[in-house]
């Protein structure tokens, strides 16, 4: 049941934080079409956990932020079974969506745009550590290396 809930929540939380970043970066007027494009593109990258190649291809065509997908697929994911630093690397992946939303809305990365991702990054570490402690036997059985 946890896998079903996780599979449902991950894309939705990523899209929500990306959308929040877009709204916060929009200033006084929100471009609804831009918000929709940002959320759909983010959803396609978040859907990568089901290995949807079509989603990756479409998103690559919609936006040049293919680096996030590359980072997730070729840096963070392989580290899960190699080294405990994956927790810190994975927190970067989780903190980027609001920055992407901000940059999509404002056209720039500013100090204000970095506040939400920084808060999200530092929140994720204790959050994950608590979950990792509770699920440490499951992680070990799955071959994942964590800090616990």
């Amino acid at each position: 049941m946890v896998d079903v809930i996780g599979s449902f929540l991950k894309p939705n939380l990523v899209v929500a934080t990306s959308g929040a970043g877009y709204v916060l970066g929009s200033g006084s007027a929100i471009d609804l079409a831009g918000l929709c494009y940002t959320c759909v593109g983010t959803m396609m990258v978040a859907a990568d956990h089901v290995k949807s190649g079509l989603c990756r291809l479409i998103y690559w065509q919609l936006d040049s932020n293919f680096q996030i997908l590359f980072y997730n697929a070729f840096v963070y994911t392989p580290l899960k079974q190699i080294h405990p630093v994956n927790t810190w690397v994975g927190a970067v992946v989780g903190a980027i969506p609001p920055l992407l939303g901000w940059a999509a809305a404002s056209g720039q990365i500013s100090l204000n745009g970095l506040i939400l991702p920084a808060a999200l990054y530092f929140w994720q570490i204790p959050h994950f550590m608590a979950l990792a402690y509770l699920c440490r036997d499951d992680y070990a059985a799955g071959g994942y290396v964590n800090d616990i």
Side-chain angles (χ1 to χ4, degrees):
M1 183 61 144
V2 174
D3 290 334
V4 172
I5 293 171
S7 294
F8 176 75
L9 286 180
K10 178 187 174 191
N12 289 321
L13 291 174
V14 171
V15 171
T17 58
S18 178
Y22 189 94
V23 169
L24 292 172
S26 292
S28 61
I30 300 170
D31 174 16
L32 293 179
L35 175 60
C36 289
Y37 292 140
T38 300
C39 289
V40 167
T42 304
M43 180 189 66
M44 289 179 181
V45 171
D48 181 56
H49 76 285
V50 296
K51 303 302 178 206
S52 175
L54 178 61
C55 288
R56 287 182 278 166
L57 180 63
I58 292 170
Y59 181 71
W60 194 12
Q61 294 300 318
L62 288 176
D63 199 347
S64 63
N65 289 321
F66 186 70
Q67 297 88 354
I68 302 306
L69 181 59
F70 179 84
Y71 181 82
N72 192 20
F74 297 106
V75 178
Y76 168 57
T77 300
L79 275 175
K80 289 179 180 180
Q81 295 182 330
I82 298 172
H83 198 277
V85 77
N86 73 74
T87 303
W88 298 88
V89 172
V92 171
V93 173
I96 288 176
L99 181 60
L100 290 176
W102 181 282
S106 68
Q108 64 181 349
I109 297 176
S110 64
L111 182 59
N112 288 340
L114 294 172
I115 293 171
L116 185 56
L120 191 54
Y121 177 84
F122 289 109
W123 169 82
Q124 288 181 94
I125 300 301
H127 170 78
F128 175 78
M129 292 301 174
L131 292 173
Y133 179 76
L134 292 174
C135 301
R136 64 189 175 278
D137 296 334
D138 293 333
Y139 278 106
Y144 290 96
V145 179
N146 62 43
D147 294 337
I148 300 300

